[in-house]
Amino acid sequence: MRRLEEELRSLLKREEPAEGFAERVLERVRDERRRARAPLPFHTSSRRWRPLWAAAGVMLCALLGVAYAGYRARKVQRGEMAKAQAIEALRFASTELNVAFQKALVNGPTHRSPRD
Amino acid sequence: VAKAIAWDEPMDVEPNSIDETEFAAIVREHQGMVFSIALHVVGRRDLAEELAQEVFIQLYRHIRSIESPVHLKFWLRKTAAHRAIDCARREVSARWVSLDGIDEPIERSEGPVEEDPFAKQRLQRLLASLAPKARMIVALRYQEEMEPREIAEILDMPLNTVKSSLQRSLALLRAKFPKPLEGVRS
């Protein structure tokens, strides 16, 4: 048991990485920092753009809501106008018919059918 | 190699207040420990170097959360161990070494394993046949001279699991590793 443990200690002793390891790590750190500083393309969904995208989304929704409300109001107004016009037309037609009926009653029938 | 190791999160522009000289000193002080933990579990120098670099880059991101030199050592061991186990698990599927494929032990010349290249190679193959976590437990025990309690903390495992895994691994290695030939010296 003791022997195997000694063998393992000997086999698993610490080894150093290849020369210049720390410099390679630092180079990667610098690369990362450069990439983090570089301006991102407009469409990139980076964390810094998220609030702007959210605000733009809210604005767009609000604009669409306002536009839809305006469209609905105009549609209702046009309907009301059409309704008023229809009522007016019916009232006029009713008056005309009433006049014609009264005339017909006073003058009697103007012509008879061939069977009479 | 780069694909095998996942990045955790993007780096902030100014993640900490440490300067490069200070950070380089930390890397130089601990590079042997981190590299060896990785090497003894993944078994390849290129992968171990890549993994060790990733550990130090992760340290750079989290340097503000390090409270003391003891905490730094614990953090490095823990991060290296977990990353190495993950990496070894991915590698295992690519090249699995089975204990069945290793010959029965033969007697060998007496003397330390490093003086006998065949014995060293054989012990390396036996270690490679262990599961990544069991290999890590052996590496932490005999490379870092850590107690089972410390290993359990590093690997987030119950103490008894660490002890039983270590005993099982040693029993396997003892059964397969050749005993020195008495009276013959190399």
Side-chain angles (χ1 to χ4, degrees):
Chain A
M1 183 68 165
R2 199 90 198 131
R3 179 164 201 92
L4 178 67
E5 288 184 335
E6 289 310 314
E7 306 277 25
L8 284 170
R9 275 192 189 94
S10 162
L11 185 75
L12 298 173
K13 62 178 182 248
R14 280 189 188 176
E15 286 182 43
E16 287 296 316
E19 195 70 29
F21 175 82
E23 286 68 32
R24 288 192 291 280
V25 171
L26 288 179
E27 193 47 49
R28 283 184 66 171
V29 166
R30 284 185 213 118
D31 271 355
E32 282 293 307
R33 293 177 66 178
R34 270 197 293 271
R35 256 185 286 166
R37 282 203 188 101
L40 294 164
F42 181 74
H43 61 274
T44 306
S45 60
S46 166
R47 271 187 295 182
R48 72 190 68 181
W49 284 101
R50 276 180 207 159
L52 280 176
W53 282 114
V58 168
M59 286 283 284
L60 186 66
C61 286
L63 280 172
L64 284 172
V66 167
Y68 182 69
Y71 166 76
R72 288 281 300 169
R74 275 197 302 279
K75 200 174 173 182
V76 167
Q77 197 182 7
R78 275 202 301 271
E80 290 294 329
M81 279 170 66
K83 188 175 153 188
Q85 280 177 354
I87 290 169
E88 189 60 35
L90 285 171
R91 191 180 296 133
F92 180 75
S94 166
T95 310
E96 289 297 310
L97 278 171
N98 203 28
V99 169
F101 182 66
Q102 292 300 325
K103 276 183 186 170
L105 281 179
V106 170
N107 300 332
T110 53
H111 69 276
R112 291 175 184 277
S113 68
R115 278 180 291 183
D116 295 335
Chain B
V1 171
K3 272 184 194 168
I5 300 158
W7 286 89
D8 287 340
E9 67 231 52
M11 184 182 281
D12 292 337
V13 175
E14 293 297 338
N16 50 60
S17 54
I18 192 167
D19 68 25
E20 280 193 3
T21 322
E22 235 179 312
F23 185 66
I26 291 175
V27 174
R28 286 195 189 94
E29 187 184 343
H30 298 288
Q31 63 183 32
M33 177 184 78
V34 173
F35 175 75
S36 301
I37 287 174
L39 178 65
H40 292 145
V41 174
V42 300
R44 275 171 49 189
R45 293 189 76 88
D46 58 339
L47 266 184
E49 158 121 12
E50 183 73 27
L51 205 143
Q53 284 187 17
E54 297 286 346
V55 171
F56 283 110
I57 289 168
Q58 199 178 337
L59 170 69
Y60 188 80
R61 291 187 195 123
H62 293 93
I63 198 82
R64 272 186 291 196
S65 65
I66 303 296
E67 293 158 5
S68 64
V70 175
H71 184 210
L72 171 67
K73 204 168 180 181
F74 176 83
W75 189 95
L76 284 171
R77 279 172 168 169
K78 184 168 187 155
T79 310
H82 284 277
R83 277 179 174 255
I85 289 168
D86 288 346
C87 187
R89 280 180 180 151
R90 281 192 292 268
E91 285 291 300
V92 157
S93 56
R95 51 178 186 90
W96 172 249
V97 182
S98 166
L99 267 181
D100 300 333
I102 298 171
D103 303 331
E104 284 305 308
I106 49 165
E107 289 193 325
R108 66 177 179 84
S109 57
E110 202 173 354
V113 73
E114 58 194 341
E115 291 173 18
D116 183 347
F118 295 109
K120 185 180 174 184
Q121 202 180 12
R122 190 182 172 81
L123 191 53
Q124 274 173 337
R125 284 182 65 199
L126 283 167
L127 275 172
S129 71
L130 297 175
K133 214 164 203 173
R135 219 180 312 158
M136 178 56 78
I137 291 170
V138 173
L140 291 175
R141 178 77 187 94
Y142 295 104
Q143 177 198 306
E144 295 299 309
E145 297 290 341
M146 289 170 74
E147 292 300 320
R149 181 185 50 76
E150 296 171 296
I151 298 172
E153 275 177 35
I154 292 270
L155 298 178
D156 299 319
M157 286 169 78
L159 176 58
N160 286 336
T161 311
V162 171
K163 282 180 177 171
S164 60
S165 169
L166 193 57
Q167 281 168 5
R168 215 171 25 250
S169 300
L170 290 177
L172 266 169
L173 294 175
R174 213 178 310 120
K176 291 273 182 179
F177 191 60
K179 293 160 188 64
L181 197 62
E182 299 226 347
V184 178
R185 297 195 175 269
S186 55

